[in-house]
Amino acid sequence: MDSNNYYYASSQHYDYYRMPSDMQLAADIQKAINAEYSAIACYEKLAGLAPSKDERNKIQEIQKDEKRHLKEFSRLYTNLTGTQPSYQIIEQCPDTYKQGIEFAFKDEQEAVDFYLDISDRAQDPSIKDRFRRAASDEQNHAVWFLFFFSKNPKVSPPLRQGEDYGAKGALNAAVLTLPDMLTYALQDEYLAQARYENIMGTFGYIRTFAQIKEAEIRHINALLPLFERYQVSIPEDISHSFTAAPESIKGAYAAGVQGEIDNIAMYEKFLSYNIPADARNVFTQLRSASLNHLKAFERGLARKYY
């Protein structure tokens, strides 16, 4: 066989084994395109239902991100396949605002996992980068939708065990006083400590969890002076009754992501109230720290060692 024929045969052999993964990647990008197209239509509807100008503006900002994702994913699809993608709505948006933002929150969370999975499997650096960046955007969107959900005054379903404790308790509360905020914040720091102890007790030392566990101690120390200043009783630490070790390291990082999302939404809710400057300063600092922790857990979730 001459060299030209050998090259041709080798190329055919390579293409034969490459096609299934490329076809799956193209199918996943098409699915992401339809998801973004559906989200754009849903957020148009939610912006019209929003109870305030601020919420409407934020939803429209989120919609702009989704339009950018749609454009980027469409370009990636065309570059990969040589054809134009199709566009169809694959999920129907609920008709009420509260159901809609709850739907949007869950949808954004699912998009984070899906986009990180695509990024992990893709070989092309531009595809990896685009989907990783999109996953980060979707995580931020999820935080906003969770915050909107917590502000909605309509009656929520009955609380399950643990949903009146820590960040979940704060998010489910119809009205909050400063003592309530301090209590829920400290409970949530207790929960984080218990969560990381369970994780490292199960899987051994993991640097990310160890470092963030140390940071949570600093958070507790920042909160305690406010309890003394405003004469609020320090709550008992019963956090271990609400935590359990995840089944995998990936599950541990996912639990960390969810915990930080709840934590950030809790502090966003606190900061929407008229509260003393010292409490506002502490809550703002703790929210910023949680945003950094969220990024660390997202990076861990994106790794391939599970």
Side-chain angles (χ1 to χ4, degrees):
M1 182 182 292
D2 64 36
S3 60
N4 287 335
N5 286 337
Y6 177 79
Y7 175 79
Y8 177 73
S10 298
S11 297
Q12 282 188 318
H13 179 80
Y14 173 74
D15 288 342
Y16 175 80
Y17 285 102
R18 183 186 62 180
M19 282 178 61
S21 61
D22 280 358
M23 290 172 63
Q24 180 61 56
L25 180 60
D28 285 342
I29 295 176
Q30 177 64 71
K31 181 179 176 182
I33 287 169
N34 288 337
E36 295 291 342
Y37 187 69
S38 301
I40 290 167
C42 184
Y43 298 165
E44 186 72 26
K45 184 176 184 178
L46 293 181
L49 295 171
S52 70
K53 182 178 178 181
D54 286 344
E55 290 188 32
R56 181 170 63 253
N57 289 343
K58 177 52 68 175
I59 291 171
Q60 288 172 339
E61 286 180 22
I62 291 172
Q63 187 189 47
K64 287 180 182 179
D65 285 346
E66 307 298 17
K67 289 179 179 178
R68 175 169 48 81
H69 295 167
L70 180 64
K71 184 177 179 180
E72 291 171 347
F73 295 170
S74 297
R75 184 169 60 249
L76 292 174
Y77 182 89
T78 299
N79 291 342
L80 182 66
T81 67
T83 62
Q84 293 294 320
S86 61
Y87 302 92
Q88 65 181 92
I89 292 178
I90 56 175
E91 296 176 306
Q92 292 301 319
C93 190
D95 292 327
T96 68
Y97 184 66
K98 185 163 187 178
Q99 289 178 330
I101 55 179
E102 182 180 18
F103 168 83
F105 166 70
K106 293 177 180 177
D107 195 58
E108 295 284 357
Q109 284 293 86
E110 290 173 1
V112 173
D113 291 339
F114 183 46
Y115 291 174
L116 288 175
D117 184 56
I118 293 175
S119 178
D120 284 345
R121 289 187 285 106
Q123 299 300 313
D124 187 312
S126 64
I127 296 177
K128 293 179 76 70
D129 179 66
R130 282 295 149 210
F131 275 93
R132 189 165 300 234
R133 288 175 181 270
S136 179
D137 289 341
E138 306 292 21
Q139 190 68 78
N140 288 332
H141 299 167
V143 171
W144 277 108
F145 283 122
L146 182 61
F147 175 54
F148 296 155
F149 186 80
S150 72
K151 287 176 63 182
N152 194 280
K154 293 182 181 179
V155 177
S156 298
L159 300 182
R160 296 188 298 270
Q161 183 184 21
E163 291 192 347
D164 58 351
Y165 187 88
K168 290 188 182 299
L171 294 172
N172 282 313
V175 179
L176 291 168
T177 64
L178 181 60
D180 293 334
M181 296 179 197
L182 293 174
T183 298
Y184 284 131
L186 191 58
Q187 287 174 343
D188 205 61
E189 300 299 340
Y190 289 157
L191 273 175
Q193 290 278 303
R195 185 185 308 123
Y196 306 147
E197 287 171 5
N198 269 339
I199 288 169
M200 290 192 288
T202 302
F203 301 108
Y205 178 86
I206 301 174
R207 184 178 179 184
T208 299
F209 291 104
Q211 290 179 333
I212 293 178
K213 184 175 182 293
E214 288 295 319
E216 303 296 355
I217 295 174
R218 294 194 292 273
H219 295 179
I220 290 172
N221 289 336
L223 287 167
L224 288 177
L226 295 175
F227 280 84
E228 182 176 357
R229 190 170 305 149
Y230 293 101
Q231 299 182 336
V232 179
S233 298
I234 295 175
E236 180 184 359
D237 183 359
I238 57 171
S239 56
H240 284 278
S241 63
F242 303 122
T243 57
E247 295 180 355
S248 66
I249 296 178
K250 183 174 183 179
Y253 278 105
V257 166
Q258 188 58 60
E260 295 301 338
I261 288 173
D262 291 345
N263 185 272
I264 293 163
M266 174 183 71
Y267 285 123
E268 291 282 0
K269 185 173 183 178
F270 292 172
L271 293 170
S272 70
Y273 281 76
N274 183 18
I275 55 177
D278 53 356
R280 178 172 295 277
N281 183 51
V282 170
F283 293 156
T284 300
Q285 291 176 357
L286 298 188
R287 179 190 58 182
S288 297
S290 291
L291 286 167
N292 291 331
H293 296 173
L294 177 60
K295 291 177 183 177
F297 286 136
E298 288 174 341
R299 288 193 296 269
L301 193 59
R303 291 176 193 148
K304 291 186 175 181
Y305 54 76
Y306 331 110

